[in-house]
Amino acid sequence: MNRKVLKDFTFSNGITLPTGTEVAIASYETHLDDKNYDRAHEFQGFRFSNMPHEGEGLKHQFVSMAPNYYTFGMGRHACPGRFFAVNELKAMLVYILLNYDVRFPNDGPRPDNFWFSGLLTASRTAGVMFKKRM
């Protein structure tokens, strides 16, 4: 999450950011910090659904806002379309999983990530094979 300071801003601790300063949140490092998630560098498809829910309500849902999860921003500037976006992503994923077999060519490993201008994304050139289920 990148932001540009539009007017001088002073934090409560006295640090001032002058107009034009660009700031960012290190979300990649936050998501891979073992202080925030058990075995953070290991893929766990059910990481959030297996977290304890007693007394925490909706804390671990994709649309939730928390100081260690900035996917959709925080506070009054949080993305208002996050609920719609998450439902669209879920619908697309369910459709693909129910109707297609998906794999990498030659059953290869997951391609390396791609860094672009400080943003981490999936490889832009990787091939993915879809086979319609009968």
Side-chain angles (χ1 to χ4, degrees):
M1 183 167 67
N2 303 322
R3 297 292 184 261
K4 186 174 187 175
V5 178
L6 299 178
K7 62 180 182 177
D8 289 357
F9 181 84
T10 303
F11 290 97
S12 59
N13 63 1
I15 294 175
T16 299
L17 299 177
T19 301
T21 302
E22 293 189 21
V23 294
I25 292 175
S27 58
Y28 177 74
E29 289 76 11
T30 301
H31 289 271
L32 294 178
D33 189 340
D34 287 323
K35 294 175 192 167
N36 295 322
Y37 303 109
D38 184 38
R39 298 186 325 264
H41 283 82
E42 177 183 312
F43 174 76
Q44 298 173 42
F46 292 98
R47 178 186 311 273
F48 295 101
S49 66
N50 289 337
M51 287 183 168
H53 292 288
E54 259 182 58
E56 295 186 2
L58 306 175
K59 181 179 177 183
H60 301 298
Q61 291 202 2
F62 194 31
V63 295
S64 299
M65 295 180 286
N68 60 351
Y69 193 77
Y70 291 104
T71 302
F72 291 105
M74 283 290 291
R76 66 181 180 157
H77 297 292
C79 176
R82 67 187 184 275
F83 302 97
F84 179 73
V86 167
N87 283 327
E88 290 294 299
L89 288 169
K90 287 178 183 179
M92 287 186 286
L93 181 59
V94 167
Y95 183 83
I96 290 170
L97 291 174
L98 289 174
N99 294 289
Y100 294 92
D101 291 321
V102 183
R103 67 181 182 99
F104 293 117
N106 302 318
D107 291 323
R110 182 185 180 280
D112 291 334
N113 292 327
F114 176 74
W115 283 95
F116 176 74
S117 187
L119 301 173
L120 180 66
T121 185
S123 171
R124 294 178 171 191
T125 59
V128 180
M129 299 174 70
F130 293 82
K131 180 180 176 186
K132 179 82 170 150
R133 290 187 181 171
M134 297 297 166

